[in-house]
Amino acid sequence: TNVNEFKPKLRDRKTSIPVYTYSADGTTFIKRYSSLRECVKDLDGNRNTNINTLILRIEHKQLYHGFRVSYVPLFNHPK
């Protein structure tokens, strides 16, 4: 492989993307956060906590601190 062909797939900057939290079963809307950092700060208690765990939980549809987390609303609800 030519060195010039190496183009790693970098993650988009996702810190300003809203995060929606739901009950573990995904049926009850809990809260909308304006960013990944805000969500991590609220749920972990520390704004400087690494956001990669939250990103992975969203991408793999896994619970984060007992909440279902999503980049998009799972159903129609008030923001």
Side-chain angles (χ1 to χ4, degrees):
T1 307
N2 187 333
V3 173
N4 293 332
E5 293 174 10
F6 179 67
K7 296 178 183 173
K9 184 176 180 183
L10 300 175
R11 288 179 186 239
D12 296 335
R13 182 181 165 99
K14 296 179 180 176
T15 53
S16 62
I17 292 179
V19 176
Y20 298 85
T21 55
Y22 297 88
S23 57
D25 61 5
T27 60
T28 305
F29 171 66
I30 306 293
K31 186 172 181 177
R32 177 191 181 272
Y33 296 94
S34 62
S35 68
L36 292 166
R37 184 89 37 220
E38 183 187 345
C39 182
V40 165
K41 178 184 176 188
D42 191 43
L43 298 180
D44 284 293
N46 184 349
R47 187 182 190 288
N48 296 319
T49 300
N50 191 318
I51 61 172
N52 288 331
T53 300
L54 174 57
I55 292 170
L56 288 171
R57 295 287 192 270
I58 292 170
E59 290 174 347
H60 295 284
K61 296 180 173 39
Q62 296 173 337
L63 297 182
Y64 185 75
H65 289 284
F67 295 103
R68 172 91 187 268
V69 285
S70 176
Y71 289 135
V72 295
L74 298 181
F75 52 84
N76 262 340
H77 53 70
K79 292 184 178 184

